[in-house]
Amino acid sequence: MPNSQQAPLKIAVAGLGTVGAGVLKLLEVQADLIEQRCGRRIEVVAVSARSKGKDRGVDLSKLRWYDDPVAMAADGGADLVVELIGGSEGPARDTVATAIETGKHVVTANKALLAVHGTEIARKAESRGLAVAFEAAVAGGIPIIKGLREGLAANRVTEVHGILNGTCNYILTEMRNTGRDFAEVLADAQALGYAEADPSFDVDGVDAAHKLAILASVAFGTPVDFSAVHIEGIRQVSAVDFDYADQLGFRIKLLGIARRTEAGIEQRVHPCMVPKSAPIASVDGVFNAVVAQADFADRVLFVGRGAGAGPTASAVVADLIDVARGRSTPTFGVPADRLGALASSPMESRRGAYYVRLMVVDRPGVIADIAAAMRDQNVSMEQFLQRGRSPGEAVPVVLTTHDTEEAAMQKALATIAARDSVLEPPRMIRIEQF
Ligand SMILES: NC(=O)c1ccc[n+]([C@@H]2O[C@H](COP(=O)([O-])OP(=O)(O)OC[C@H]3O[C@@H](n4cnc5c(N)ncnc54)[C@H](OP(=O)(O)O)[C@@H]3O)[C@@H](O)[C@H]2O)c1
């Protein structure tokens, strides 16, 4: 039981942007509740950011200021360093490394850092008996790390999949609702602050892939392996695909999927068509969702806000409360030196159905050629849609397949793309039947 006489947990916060300022505010507003829950106060003793003069809406006057977060991490006076700078290298990585080397616990929201260096960081921290906690790094306010690592600790998890990037989900939702194209909706999202000025990490799937690599490690007890994630973003999804998806009974989502298969661990991020009836299909806008398939608990769904000052601060402070209470688990659920690497299953062996959209010249024999290219790779077609006829002109043709292997599908698409009657590169979206 917590002892109310315990000294405060002293923390130093590196990074005072959206999340850092949010954490300071939450700690102030909820100070009494937090003390009640952990039996001690959580006291911010030092902070670091780039610009000392910036108004962050929080009073920093009583806190020690450091221009250099690494110097702050090295100094005595704090029990724990909160890293909220971001990035897999540079000051964020050095701050975390220095905190651990000097015997301090670490709480971070930095998925890029953990996706690339997570296993090494966990090993170093655990060898010194220190905690590295990162609830905020995946799906912001959703307690998915604790959900998997603690809530489902008695299960063998065979799959986690989810909507892991709110910016992409917002863009796809807007495209569906308004019929507008990607570029236009992205510009709006940037104006509204839902997308960064440089949106590539989000829209190209990298951010979701960072989170997926972390989730896979926690779910399967494997070392974090970002390099094994197959990544495709949403730039190629076109407004017209939403109409066809609707007609076929699907919604389009950017999903991260990690699955334990006989061939090894599959990790992939790409646009998917999911049946409208799948719970994840109705998670719209900036919301995130994660589904875990566990052998005893069965299917578990988590939904919530994946970003923003409040939800992300909530996750960061939950980790601080754990450390303040003295409650700790191995970083990724299994001690870092016992994380067992499993083979990674290549994208070419993905099995499932496919949606394909082609722009072809409307003339005799073209459809037969497409069908032949599929047949030659043993790809069996399920549905075929051609809206209207326009002899001699370009017309869109849409088809879906039965379950087939990615390698066969790619070969068939390459053959189809090479035909002079096919006017644009084929657009393909994988269908996931959850
Ligand atoms: N925003 C979200 O909703 C969200 C959700 C989940 C996870 N995260 C993660 O949380 C972390 C922080 O994100 P954020 O949105 O809060 O970022 P942000 O608003 O850009 O804030 C970054 C902070 O780091 C400071 N900083 C940058 N370089 C520094 C350096 N060399 N030395 C000292 N401080 C430096 C900046 O200082 P100045 O303010 O002086 O420029 C700023 O205060 C990232 O890892 C991000 O991926 C964010």
Side-chain angles (χ1 to χ4, degrees):
M1 283 296 285
N3 162 5
S4 59
Q5 301 307 308
Q6 263 186 304
L9 177 75
K10 294 190 174 163
I11 68 168
V13 180
L16 297 172
T18 306
V19 184
V23 166
L24 294 196
K25 275 180 212 155
L26 193 157
L27 285 172
E28 195 184 316
V29 172
Q30 309 281 51
D32 292 343
L33 180 133
I34 291 168
E35 182 176 9
Q36 207 179 18
R37 293 198 171 150
C38 17
R40 61 198 288 207
R41 295 190 83 77
I42 295 177
E43 187 183 323
V44 183
V45 295
V47 290
S48 173
R50 270 178 309 208
S51 151
K52 191 173 180 184
K54 204 189 262 186
D55 178 11
R56 303 169 191 278
V58 281
D59 179 13
L60 303 176
S61 60
K62 297 195 181 66
L63 307 177
R64 246 177 305 146
W65 174 274
Y66 290 81
D67 289 322
D68 178 5
V70 182
M72 180 178 77
D75 269 8
D79 308 306
L80 181 152
V81 173
V82 186
E83 184 279 304
L84 302 169
I85 296 170
S88 64
E89 309 298 329
R93 185 179 181 195
D94 296 343
T95 298
V96 168
T98 303
I100 294 168
E101 275 156 24
T102 55
K104 299 175 187 81
H105 303 290
V106 169
V107 170
T108 180
N110 189 338
K111 50 251 173 174
L113 175 71
L114 291 168
V116 180
H117 302 295
T119 313
E120 171 206 329
I121 290 171
R123 202 172 284 130
K124 287 196 174 141
E126 288 171 21
S127 72
R128 291 169 170 79
L130 298 166
V132 174
F134 53 91
E135 184 61 69
V138 182
I142 305 176
I144 182 62
I145 300 299
K146 284 185 206 301
L148 283 174
R149 192 184 52 199
E150 285 138 65
L152 295 176
N155 292 258
R156 186 169 284 268
V157 175
T158 50
E159 177 178 322
V160 270
H161 68 259
I163 296 170
L164 300 174
N165 185 276
T167 303
C168 288
N169 205 40
Y170 171 82
I171 292 173
L172 294 175
T173 304
E174 282 297 296
M175 287 175 73
R176 190 189 87 223
N177 289 345
T178 64
R180 289 183 304 160
D181 247 317
F182 171 79
E184 227 181 300
V185 175
L186 171 62
D188 269 11
Q190 286 170 316
L192 288 166
Y194 291 152
E196 304 278 340
D198 175 1
S200 47
F201 254 44
D202 291 321
V203 301
D204 294 329
V206 178
D207 175 77
H210 284 147
K211 295 166 185 167
L212 185 72
I214 297 168
L215 276 182
S217 172
V218 176
F220 307 136
T222 50
V224 192
D225 189 2
F226 174 64
S227 64
V229 185
H230 172 91
I231 311 172
E232 293 171 29
I234 61 168
R235 290 183 201 262
Q236 300 300 320
V237 180
S238 166
V240 60
D241 293 319
F242 290 89
D243 291 343
Y244 286 115
D246 193 49
Q247 222 174 308
L248 293 162
F250 296 119
R251 292 266 190 265
I252 301 174
K253 296 286 175 194
L254 181 78
L255 297 187
I257 301 170
R259 203 171 270 157
R260 197 195 277 264
T261 71
E262 301 226 321
I265 301 289
E266 247 179 51
Q267 294 187 75
R268 47 196 168 89
V269 170
H270 52 74
C272 294
M273 287 204 183
V274 295
K276 285 180 190 170
S277 58
I280 211 161
S282 49
V283 176
D284 282 336
V286 294
F287 279 81
N288 282 197
V290 180
V291 175
Q293 185 65 45
D295 54 358
F296 278 73
D298 201 10
R299 186 152 278 222
V300 184
L301 167 70
F302 300 79
V303 182
R305 289 191 183 273
T312 313
S314 152
V316 169
V317 176
D319 281 340
L320 293 174
I321 290 172
D322 272 352
V323 176
R325 283 166 163 163
R327 183 183 163 89
S328 79
T329 50
T331 315
F332 292 99
V334 171
D337 56 9
R338 295 184 54 200
L339 289 166
L342 293 173
S344 102
S345 167
M347 193 61 195
E348 301 79 65
S349 32
R350 182 249 174 199
R351 257 200 93 70
Y354 292 80
Y355 157 96
V356 177
R357 179 169 55 79
L358 303 166
M359 189 56 83
V360 301
V361 181
D362 189 358
R363 69 171 183 235
V366 170
I367 303 302
D369 282 352
I370 295 168
M374 296 283 189
R375 183 206 55 216
D376 290 350
Q377 295 301 329
N378 277 328
V379 177
S380 127
M381 289 196 275
E382 184 176 15
Q383 298 192 67
F384 196 91
L385 301 178
Q386 186 180 3
R387 276 195 203 146
R389 295 285 323 269
S390 188
E393 306 272 305
V395 288
V397 162
V398 161
L399 59 93
T400 62
T401 73
H402 289 290
D403 282 2
T404 190
E405 218 168 64
E406 175 93 10
M409 193 65 216
Q410 294 291 359
K411 281 187 199 150
L413 289 177
T415 307
I416 291 168
R419 297 267 171 205
D420 61 1
S421 54
V422 176
L423 303 174
E424 292 174 4
R427 294 291 160 82
M428 175 271 275
I429 300 179
R430 298 173 186 88
I431 297 172
E432 294 289 336
Q433 297 286 359
F434 296 122

